[in-house]
Amino acid sequence: MMATYNQMFSLVCLSLSLFALLSGQLGLQAEAHLHRDHTQKLFVFGDSYVDTGNTRKGGTGSWKDPYGITFPGKPAGRFSDGRVLTDYIAKYLGLRSPLPYKFRKVVPHYLKHGLNFAYGGTGVFDTSSSNPNMTLQINFFKKLIEEKVYSHSQLRKSVALVSVAGNDYNFYLATNGSTEALPSFIASVVNQTITNLIRIQKLGVKKIVVNGLQPVGCLPGITAVISFERCISTVNDLVLLHNTLLNQSVTKLNQETKHHSKFVILNLYDSFLSVLNNTSEANTTDQLKPCCVGVSSEYFCGSVDENNVKKYVVCEDPKSAFFWDQLHPTQAGWGAVFNKLQRNDLHQLKY
Protein backbone atom coordinates (compact mmCIF):
# COMPACT_ATOMS: atom_id res chain seq x y z
CA MET A 1 0.00 0.00 0.00
CA MET A 2 2.86 2.39 0.85
CA ALA A 3 4.59 1.64 -2.46
CA THR A 4 1.39 2.44 -4.33
CA TYR A 5 1.03 5.71 -2.43
CA ASN A 6 4.63 6.67 -3.16
CA GLN A 7 4.15 5.91 -6.85
CA MET A 8 1.03 8.05 -6.97
CA PHE A 9 2.80 10.85 -5.10
CA SER A 10 5.71 10.73 -7.54
CA LEU A 11 3.37 10.94 -10.50
CA VAL A 12 1.59 13.93 -8.99
CA CYS A 13 4.91 15.70 -8.34
CA LEU A 14 6.06 15.02 -11.90
CA SER A 15 2.83 16.38 -13.30
CA LEU A 16 3.11 19.52 -11.20
CA SER A 17 6.72 20.04 -12.26
CA LEU A 18 5.85 19.77 -15.92
CA PHE A 19 2.97 22.16 -15.46
CA ALA A 20 5.25 24.75 -13.83
CA LEU A 21 7.91 24.25 -16.47
CA LEU A 22 5.57 24.79 -19.38
CA SER A 23 2.99 27.17 -17.97
CA GLY A 24 4.22 29.91 -20.24
CA GLN A 25 3.47 27.71 -23.25
CA LEU A 26 0.26 26.01 -22.18
CA GLY A 27 -1.46 29.18 -21.02
CA LEU A 28 -1.74 30.30 -24.63
CA GLN A 29 -3.84 27.34 -25.71
CA ALA A 30 -7.15 28.86 -24.67
CA GLU A 31 -6.43 31.99 -26.69
CA ALA A 32 -5.39 30.43 -29.98
CA HIS A 33 -7.75 28.96 -32.55
CA LEU A 34 -5.66 25.86 -33.07
CA HIS A 35 -5.46 23.98 -36.36
CA ARG A 36 -6.94 20.53 -35.84
CA ASP A 37 -4.42 18.73 -38.03
CA HIS A 38 -1.42 20.70 -36.68
CA THR A 39 0.13 20.57 -40.16
CA GLN A 40 1.47 24.10 -40.03
CA LYS A 41 4.24 24.77 -37.54
CA LEU A 42 6.22 27.75 -36.33
CA PHE A 43 10.01 27.54 -36.00
CA VAL A 44 11.76 30.38 -34.18
CA PHE A 45 15.42 31.46 -34.30
CA GLY A 46 17.22 34.37 -32.73
CA ASP A 47 17.49 36.21 -29.45
CA SER A 48 15.61 37.51 -26.40
CA TYR A 49 12.93 39.25 -28.45
CA VAL A 50 11.55 35.82 -29.36
CA ASP A 51 13.03 33.46 -26.72
CA THR A 52 10.29 31.81 -24.65
CA GLY A 53 12.41 29.78 -22.26
CA ASN A 54 15.62 28.39 -23.77
CA THR A 55 18.01 30.59 -21.77
CA ARG A 56 19.22 28.73 -18.70
CA LYS A 57 17.66 29.45 -15.34
CA GLY A 58 20.91 30.35 -13.60
CA GLY A 59 21.76 33.06 -16.10
CA THR A 60 19.92 36.23 -16.99
CA GLY A 61 16.76 37.53 -15.37
CA SER A 62 14.15 35.89 -17.59
CA TRP A 63 13.72 33.07 -15.05
CA LYS A 64 13.79 35.40 -12.04
CA ASP A 65 11.20 37.61 -10.39
CA PRO A 66 9.63 39.91 -11.48
CA TYR A 67 9.80 38.56 -15.06
CA GLY A 68 6.51 36.93 -16.05
CA ILE A 69 4.58 38.96 -13.49
CA THR A 70 1.77 39.69 -15.97
CA PHE A 71 1.84 36.35 -17.80
CA PRO A 72 1.88 33.59 -16.71
CA GLY A 73 2.15 35.17 -13.25
CA LYS A 74 5.66 33.89 -12.52
CA PRO A 75 9.00 33.72 -14.35
CA ALA A 76 8.72 31.48 -17.43
CA GLY A 77 11.84 32.30 -19.45
CA ARG A 78 10.48 35.29 -21.37
CA PHE A 79 12.38 38.59 -21.31
CA SER A 80 9.31 40.61 -20.39
CA ASP A 81 6.57 40.88 -17.81
CA GLY A 82 4.51 38.63 -20.09
CA ARG A 83 4.16 37.63 -23.72
CA VAL A 84 6.78 38.40 -26.35
CA LEU A 85 6.72 38.67 -30.15
CA THR A 86 6.73 34.87 -30.65
CA ASP A 87 3.49 34.49 -28.72
CA TYR A 88 1.68 37.11 -30.79
CA ILE A 89 2.91 35.70 -34.12
CA ALA A 90 1.91 32.17 -33.10
CA LYS A 91 -1.56 33.28 -32.04
CA TYR A 92 -1.99 35.17 -35.33
CA LEU A 93 -1.18 31.97 -37.23
CA GLY A 94 -3.65 30.03 -35.10
CA LEU A 95 -0.91 28.06 -33.39
CA ARG A 96 0.25 27.36 -29.89
CA SER A 97 3.44 29.22 -29.02
CA PRO A 98 6.13 26.68 -29.95
CA LEU A 99 7.95 24.72 -27.29
CA PRO A 100 11.45 25.90 -26.34
CA TYR A 101 14.05 23.58 -27.85
CA LYS A 102 15.56 22.65 -24.50
CA PHE A 103 12.25 21.11 -23.38
CA ARG A 104 11.85 18.95 -26.50
CA LYS A 105 12.51 15.69 -24.64
CA VAL A 106 10.36 16.60 -21.65
CA VAL A 107 7.10 16.86 -23.57
CA PRO A 108 7.76 15.54 -27.10
CA HIS A 109 4.01 15.62 -27.77
CA TYR A 110 4.26 19.39 -28.27
CA LEU A 111 6.82 19.13 -31.05
CA LYS A 112 3.86 19.03 -33.41
CA HIS A 113 3.40 22.79 -32.98
CA GLY A 114 6.97 23.57 -34.01
CA LEU A 115 9.99 24.54 -31.91
CA ASN A 116 11.62 27.67 -30.58
CA PHE A 117 15.42 27.59 -30.99
CA ALA A 118 16.02 31.20 -29.89
CA TYR A 119 18.33 32.05 -26.99
CA GLY A 120 18.57 35.43 -25.27
CA GLY A 121 21.77 37.37 -25.78
CA THR A 122 22.76 35.70 -29.04
CA GLY A 123 23.44 37.06 -32.51
CA VAL A 124 24.26 35.87 -35.99
CA PHE A 125 27.88 35.78 -34.80
CA ASP A 126 29.28 34.93 -31.37
CA THR A 127 28.53 37.48 -28.66
CA SER A 128 29.28 37.74 -24.94
CA SER A 129 26.56 35.14 -24.39
CA SER A 130 27.59 31.49 -24.13
CA ASN A 131 24.26 30.49 -25.67
CA PRO A 132 24.27 29.06 -29.22
CA ASN A 133 24.38 31.64 -32.00
CA MET A 134 21.97 31.46 -34.92
CA THR A 135 24.18 29.17 -37.00
CA LEU A 136 24.11 26.61 -34.18
CA GLN A 137 20.38 27.09 -33.70
CA ILE A 138 19.82 26.22 -37.35
CA ASN A 139 22.15 23.23 -36.92
CA PHE A 140 19.82 21.97 -34.16
CA PHE A 141 16.90 22.34 -36.56
CA LYS A 142 18.77 20.54 -39.35
CA LYS A 143 19.56 17.60 -37.05
CA LEU A 144 15.90 17.16 -36.13
CA ILE A 145 14.97 17.13 -39.82
CA GLU A 146 17.66 14.51 -40.47
CA GLU A 147 16.15 12.48 -37.62
CA LYS A 148 12.79 12.78 -39.43
CA VAL A 149 11.10 14.57 -36.55
CA TYR A 150 9.55 16.81 -39.22
CA SER A 151 8.60 15.80 -42.73
CA HIS A 152 9.25 17.88 -45.85
CA SER A 153 5.52 18.25 -46.44
CA GLN A 154 5.11 19.71 -42.95
CA LEU A 155 8.01 22.10 -43.46
CA ARG A 156 6.58 23.37 -46.75
CA LYS A 157 3.45 24.55 -44.93
CA SER A 158 5.26 26.06 -41.96
CA VAL A 159 6.66 29.46 -41.01
CA ALA A 160 10.06 30.45 -39.62
CA LEU A 161 10.43 33.54 -37.43
CA VAL A 162 13.96 35.00 -37.28
CA SER A 163 14.94 37.74 -34.82
CA VAL A 164 18.11 39.83 -35.06
CA ALA A 165 17.71 42.54 -32.42
CA GLY A 166 21.23 43.95 -32.16
CA ASN A 167 23.32 41.77 -29.85
CA ASP A 168 26.05 41.55 -32.50
CA TYR A 169 26.39 45.33 -32.40
CA ASN A 170 26.42 45.46 -28.60
CA PHE A 171 29.26 42.96 -28.58
CA TYR A 172 31.14 44.74 -31.35
CA LEU A 173 31.09 48.04 -29.46
CA ALA A 174 31.83 46.39 -26.10
CA THR A 175 34.96 44.81 -27.57
CA ASN A 176 36.31 48.13 -28.84
CA GLY A 177 35.11 47.84 -32.40
CA SER A 178 35.79 51.14 -34.16
CA THR A 179 32.96 53.43 -35.19
CA GLU A 180 34.73 53.97 -38.52
CA ALA A 181 34.48 50.27 -39.32
CA LEU A 182 30.91 49.93 -38.03
CA PRO A 183 29.23 50.33 -41.46
CA SER A 184 31.35 47.47 -42.77
CA PHE A 185 30.40 45.35 -39.75
CA ILE A 186 26.72 46.18 -40.30
CA ALA A 187 27.05 44.84 -43.85
CA SER A 188 28.59 41.62 -42.53
CA VAL A 189 25.76 41.15 -40.01
CA VAL A 190 23.17 41.60 -42.77
CA ASN A 191 25.05 39.22 -45.09
CA GLN A 192 25.18 36.55 -42.40
CA THR A 193 21.48 37.08 -41.69
CA ILE A 194 20.71 36.46 -45.36
CA THR A 195 22.90 33.33 -45.31
CA ASN A 196 20.83 32.10 -42.36
CA LEU A 197 17.54 32.78 -44.13
CA ILE A 198 18.72 30.85 -47.18
CA ARG A 199 19.78 27.90 -44.99
CA ILE A 200 16.34 27.74 -43.39
CA GLN A 201 14.70 27.96 -46.80
CA LYS A 202 16.85 25.15 -48.18
CA LEU A 203 15.88 22.98 -45.21
CA GLY A 204 12.31 23.18 -46.50
CA VAL A 205 10.51 26.12 -44.85
CA LYS A 206 8.87 28.22 -47.55
CA LYS A 207 7.73 31.25 -45.55
CA ILE A 208 10.39 33.00 -43.51
CA VAL A 209 9.90 36.24 -41.61
CA VAL A 210 12.80 38.31 -40.26
CA ASN A 211 12.57 41.47 -38.22
CA GLY A 212 14.24 44.70 -39.16
CA LEU A 213 16.12 46.32 -36.30
CA GLN A 214 14.00 48.22 -33.79
CA PRO A 215 14.98 51.86 -33.07
CA VAL A 216 17.87 50.93 -30.78
CA GLY A 217 18.43 54.61 -30.00
CA CYS A 218 15.11 54.58 -28.13
CA LEU A 219 15.92 51.65 -25.81
CA PRO A 220 16.13 52.59 -22.12
CA GLY A 221 19.65 51.20 -21.93
CA ILE A 222 20.64 53.92 -24.40
CA THR A 223 18.41 56.79 -23.25
CA ALA A 224 19.15 56.39 -19.53
CA VAL A 225 22.08 58.82 -19.89
CA ILE A 226 19.60 61.60 -20.77
CA SER A 227 16.98 60.48 -18.22
CA PHE A 228 14.83 58.76 -20.86
CA GLU A 229 13.91 62.12 -22.39
CA ARG A 230 14.26 61.28 -26.09
CA CYS A 231 15.66 58.77 -28.58
CA ILE A 232 19.29 59.11 -29.66
CA SER A 233 19.12 59.93 -33.36
CA THR A 234 22.78 59.12 -34.14
CA VAL A 235 22.19 55.54 -32.98
CA ASN A 236 18.99 55.25 -34.98
CA ASP A 237 20.83 56.47 -38.09
CA LEU A 238 23.01 53.35 -37.91
CA VAL A 239 19.90 51.22 -37.40
CA LEU A 240 18.48 52.64 -40.62
CA LEU A 241 21.63 51.55 -42.48
CA HIS A 242 21.13 47.99 -41.22
CA ASN A 243 17.46 48.06 -42.22
CA THR A 244 18.16 49.52 -45.67
CA LEU A 245 20.71 46.80 -46.44
CA LEU A 246 18.37 44.12 -45.10
CA ASN A 247 15.48 45.39 -47.23
CA GLN A 248 17.62 45.43 -50.36
CA SER A 249 18.91 41.89 -49.71
CA VAL A 250 15.49 40.42 -48.93
CA THR A 251 13.99 42.07 -52.01
CA LYS A 252 16.70 40.42 -54.10
CA LEU A 253 16.04 37.07 -52.42
CA ASN A 254 12.36 37.23 -53.26
CA GLN A 255 13.16 38.09 -56.88
CA GLU A 256 15.48 35.10 -57.14
CA THR A 257 13.19 32.56 -55.48
CA LYS A 258 10.00 33.93 -57.08
CA HIS A 259 7.05 31.67 -56.24
CA HIS A 260 9.07 28.95 -54.52
CA SER A 261 9.52 30.82 -51.22
CA LYS A 262 8.50 34.03 -49.49
CA PHE A 263 10.75 36.17 -47.31
CA VAL A 264 8.97 38.81 -45.23
CA ILE A 265 10.45 41.66 -43.19
CA LEU A 266 8.75 42.79 -40.01
CA ASN A 267 9.16 46.55 -39.79
CA LEU A 268 9.92 46.84 -36.09
CA TYR A 269 11.49 50.25 -36.60
CA ASP A 270 8.36 52.04 -37.77
CA SER A 271 6.10 49.95 -35.52
CA PHE A 272 8.07 50.82 -32.38
CA LEU A 273 8.22 54.51 -33.27
CA SER A 274 4.54 54.65 -34.16
CA VAL A 275 3.59 53.29 -30.74
CA LEU A 276 6.12 55.44 -28.88
CA ASN A 277 4.88 58.57 -30.66
CA ASN A 278 1.22 57.74 -30.04
CA THR A 279 1.11 56.52 -26.47
CA SER A 280 -2.62 57.18 -26.11
CA GLU A 281 -3.38 54.85 -29.00
CA ALA A 282 -1.42 52.05 -27.30
CA ASN A 283 -2.84 52.89 -23.85
CA THR A 284 0.66 53.45 -22.51
CA THR A 285 1.66 56.54 -20.56
CA ASP A 286 5.36 55.96 -19.97
CA GLN A 287 7.10 56.40 -23.29
CA LEU A 288 10.81 55.65 -22.90
CA LYS A 289 11.15 54.94 -19.18
CA PRO A 290 11.25 51.21 -18.33
CA CYS A 291 8.79 49.70 -15.86
CA CYS A 292 11.41 47.59 -14.05
CA VAL A 293 14.73 49.21 -13.12
CA GLY A 294 17.61 48.66 -10.72
CA VAL A 295 17.76 50.88 -7.65
CA SER A 296 21.11 52.21 -8.90
CA SER A 297 23.27 51.94 -12.02
CA GLU A 298 24.98 48.79 -10.75
CA TYR A 299 21.71 46.88 -10.58
CA PHE A 300 19.15 45.75 -13.14
CA CYS A 301 15.60 44.46 -13.26
CA GLY A 302 15.59 41.26 -11.22
CA SER A 303 18.82 42.00 -9.32
CA VAL A 304 19.18 40.88 -5.70
CA ASP A 305 22.10 41.34 -3.31
CA GLU A 306 24.04 38.65 -1.42
CA ASN A 307 21.21 38.47 1.13
CA ASN A 308 18.60 37.99 -1.61
CA VAL A 309 17.23 41.48 -1.01
CA LYS A 310 15.59 43.06 -4.06
CA LYS A 311 17.65 45.74 -5.78
CA TYR A 312 15.03 46.75 -8.32
CA VAL A 313 11.67 48.49 -8.42
CA VAL A 314 8.65 47.79 -10.62
CA CYS A 315 6.16 50.38 -11.81
CA GLU A 316 2.65 50.25 -10.42
CA ASP A 317 1.05 49.11 -13.68
CA PRO A 318 3.19 47.33 -16.34
CA LYS A 319 0.33 47.81 -18.81
CA SER A 320 1.04 51.54 -18.75
CA ALA A 321 4.66 51.13 -19.88
CA PHE A 322 6.04 50.34 -23.32
CA PHE A 323 9.41 49.11 -22.07
CA TRP A 324 9.79 46.46 -19.39
CA ASP A 325 13.53 46.68 -18.72
CA GLN A 326 16.57 48.25 -20.40
CA LEU A 327 16.09 46.39 -23.68
CA HIS A 328 12.71 44.71 -23.91
CA PRO A 329 9.08 45.80 -24.33
CA THR A 330 6.35 44.90 -21.88
CA GLN A 331 3.57 42.56 -22.92
CA ALA A 332 1.51 45.70 -23.56
CA GLY A 333 4.33 47.12 -25.67
CA TRP A 334 4.63 43.98 -27.75
CA GLY A 335 0.86 43.85 -28.16
CA ALA A 336 0.80 47.41 -29.49
CA VAL A 337 3.71 46.72 -31.86
CA PHE A 338 2.03 43.54 -33.07
CA ASN A 339 -1.14 45.48 -33.87
CA LYS A 340 0.91 47.75 -36.13
CA LEU A 341 2.63 44.78 -37.78
CA GLN A 342 -0.68 43.03 -38.31
CA ARG A 343 -1.94 45.92 -40.42
CA ASN A 344 1.11 46.02 -42.66
CA ASP A 345 3.29 42.90 -42.81
CA LEU A 346 1.75 39.76 -41.34
CA HIS A 347 -0.87 38.94 -43.95
CA GLN A 348 1.95 37.56 -46.11
CA LEU A 349 2.49 34.72 -43.61
CA LYS A 350 -0.92 33.12 -44.10
CA TYR A 351 -1.17 30.07 -46.36
Side-chain angles (χ1 to χ4, degrees):
M1 188 72 175
M2 182 62 70
T4 303
Y5 174 81
N6 287 339
Q7 290 171 354
M8 291 177 63
F9 182 76
S10 297
L11 287 172
V12 170
C13 288
L14 177 60
S15 298
L16 290 173
S17 297
L18 289 176
F19 176 79
L21 191 65
L22 297 171
S23 59
Q25 317 303 317
L26 306 185
L28 295 162
Q29 181 178 14
E31 298 186 5
H33 301 290
L34 302 178
H35 293 309
R36 293 298 179 186
D37 62 0
H38 301 291
T39 300
Q40 188 180 28
K41 306 177 193 311
L42 177 62
F43 300 102
V44 184
F45 307 87
D47 46 42
S48 59
Y49 271 24
V50 292
D51 182 4
T52 55
N54 278 315
T55 300
R56 62 188 178 87
K57 290 189 176 183
T60 54
S62 62
W63 285 102
K64 300 175 182 177
D65 290 326
Y67 286 79
I69 191 173
T70 299
F71 173 83
K74 57 187 174 183
R78 289 169 172 80
F79 289 80
S80 180
D81 65 309
R83 295 164 179 83
V84 295
L85 183 59
T86 298
D87 302 313
Y88 287 99
I89 298 292
K91 182 181 177 182
Y92 176 79
L93 295 173
L95 302 171
R96 187 197 302 271
S97 199
L99 187 74
Y101 172 74
K102 76 174 185 180
F103 297 149
R104 68 194 181 283
K105 294 181 180 178
V106 179
V107 278
H109 175 69
Y110 290 106
L111 293 176
K112 65 186 178 183
H113 305 290
L115 268 178
N116 188 331
F117 299 89
Y119 285 79
T122 62
V124 297
F125 301 123
D126 287 337
T127 64
S128 57
S129 171
S130 60
N131 287 326
N133 64 27
M134 198 178 296
T135 296
L136 295 177
Q137 294 173 26
I138 298 171
N139 288 348
F140 298 156
F141 182 45
K142 181 174 182 288
K143 188 171 187 295
L144 292 177
I145 295 172
E146 291 170 347
E147 293 171 353
K148 302 189 185 305
V149 174
Y150 299 108
S151 70
H152 291 295
S153 62
Q154 290 172 330
L155 295 174
R156 281 196 300 272
K157 296 180 180 179
S158 297
V159 173
L161 171 62
V162 178
S163 174
V164 181
N167 291 318
D168 293 289
Y169 300 127
N170 293 338
F171 186 64
Y172 174 86
L173 295 172
T175 51
N176 299 315
S178 71
T179 53
E180 292 79 7
L182 188 52
S184 176
F185 183 68
I186 290 173
S188 68
V189 169
V190 171
N191 288 339
Q192 184 59 45
T193 300
I194 296 301
T195 297
N196 294 337
L197 300 183
I198 293 171
R199 277 195 72 198
I200 296 169
Q201 182 256 345
K202 288 184 175 179
L203 287 171
V205 181
K206 299 306 179 186
K207 288 201 176 182
I208 302 168
V209 56
V210 58
N211 65 286
L213 266 187
Q214 73 281 17
V216 176
C218 300
L219 300 182
I222 300 291
T223 63
V225 295
I226 53 172
S227 302
F228 314 111
E229 290 180 358
R230 64 182 183 279
C231 300
I232 307 296
S233 59
T234 52
V235 176
N236 283 343
D237 288 343
L238 293 169
V239 169
L240 290 174
L241 174 59
H242 171 103
N243 288 344
T244 297
L245 294 176
L246 181 67
N247 276 310
Q248 291 172 349
S249 299
V250 169
T251 297
K252 183 180 178 183
L253 263 185
N254 280 321
Q255 291 171 345
E256 292 172 349
T257 54
K258 295 184 179 179
H259 302 298
H260 301 293
S261 302
K262 183 68 176 179
F263 298 91
V264 179
I265 293 180
L266 293 183
N267 190 345
L268 289 193
Y269 189 89
D270 286 349
S271 299
F272 268 55
L273 285 183
S274 179
V275 175
L276 290 172
N277 292 330
N278 298 280
T279 53
S280 59
E281 181 182 342
N283 296 317
T284 57
T285 54
D286 294 320
Q287 185 183 28
L288 298 179
K289 185 179 179 181
C291 175
C292 183
V293 294
V295 295
S296 65
S297 59
E298 62 184 303
Y299 296 109
F300 304 94
C301 180
S303 291
V304 294
D305 64 14
E306 61 276 8
N307 298 315
N308 208 36
V309 175
K310 293 180 182 178
K311 291 296 180 180
Y312 62 89
V313 292
V314 180
C315 65
E316 185 174 340
D317 181 16
K319 296 184 185 66
S320 70
F322 180 83
F323 286 111
W324 169 244
D325 58 17
Q326 287 193 319
L327 300 171
H328 308 98
T330 58
Q331 173 175 293
W334 273 126
V337 167
F338 172 79
N339 287 337
K340 297 292 182 183
L341 295 172
Q342 188 172 359
R343 297 173 196 172
N344 301 313
D345 305 321
L346 294 180
H347 67 278
Q348 300 177 76
L349 301 183
K350 290 288 183 83
Y351 279 91

